[in-house]
Amino acid sequence: MTEITAKYDGIFWRAARPGPRYLIDPVAFFIALFGAPLLVALLGFWAFFIPIFALVFGGPIYLLLATPALLIHLRFRKGDTNGIITLAFAVVIGSAIAGCAYGLLVPNSDLAAIALFYGFFGLILGPLWGWAFGWIYNRLRSDFSRVPH
C-alpha cells in the first residue's frame, strides 16, 4: 500500500509534487509579525514620529497583506531576510498599483491618491518591517522548521 501512496498523490491522477516545503514555526511567526512594526517604531521614533504613526495607519494593512504573503513565502523558501525584504517590496508595489487602478476605475473616488500615499510610505517602511520580521523570525524559529520536508 505504501508503494501506491508514494507513487500517486491523487486518487485517479498523478499529481506533481512541488519542491521542498518548510514548516512554519507559529510562535516565532506571530511574535515576528506583531513585533516587527513595534521594533521599527521603537528604533525610529526619533524620526518625527513617522514610524509611530505608521503603526496606526499602516499596521492593519500590513497585517492584512503581509500575513498571507509571508505564510506562502515561508512555506516554500528558507526564510532569509533578503527574500522577505524583496517580498515586502513586491507586496507594497503590487497593492499600490492595484489600489490606484481600482481608484481610477471608480468615479468620484480618492482611492487612487490614497493608494499612492500609502505606497510611498510603504516603500520606505515595508522593507524595514520586512527586515525586522526576518530578523526576529530567524532568531526565534525552531531548528525543525529550518529543514525542508
Side-chain angles (χ1 to χ4, degrees):
M1 190 67 177
T2 310
E3 302 84 26
I4 295 172
T5 57
K7 189 175 179 183
Y8 297 103
D9 291 332
I11 296 174
F12 298 112
W13 59 87
R14 187 180 180 105
R17 283 195 173 186
R21 292 185 178 192
Y22 294 87
L23 295 175
I24 297 172
D25 188 353
V27 174
F29 181 81
F30 284 107
I31 289 174
L33 186 69
F34 289 103
L38 295 174
L39 179 65
V40 171
L42 182 69
L43 294 176
F45 74 94
W46 52 270
F48 301 110
F49 298 105
I50 291 173
I52 295 173
F53 287 120
L55 280 175
V56 177
F57 293 112
I61 296 170
Y62 161 75
L63 291 175
L64 181 72
L65 297 176
T67 303
L70 285 168
L71 284 172
I72 294 168
H73 178 79
L74 292 174
R75 183 73 172 136
F76 295 103
R77 289 172 184 80
K78 293 180 184 177
D80 61 330
T81 307
N82 291 335
I84 295 173
I85 292 171
T86 305
L87 176 71
F89 268 121
V91 169
V92 167
I93 290 171
S95 61
I97 289 172
C100 189
Y102 182 75
L104 292 174
L105 292 175
V106 175
N108 299 328
S109 175
D110 294 332
L111 188 61
I114 294 170
L116 289 175
F117 176 76
Y118 272 90
F120 173 74
F121 282 105
L123 285 176
I124 298 167
L125 289 168
L128 288 175
W129 288 358
W131 167 82
F133 176 89
W135 187 77
I136 294 169
Y137 181 73
N138 285 318
R139 275 154 185 71
L140 295 179
R141 72 193 274 197
S142 65
D143 291 335
F144 189 70
S145 66
R146 296 177 191 270
V147 180
H149 294 91

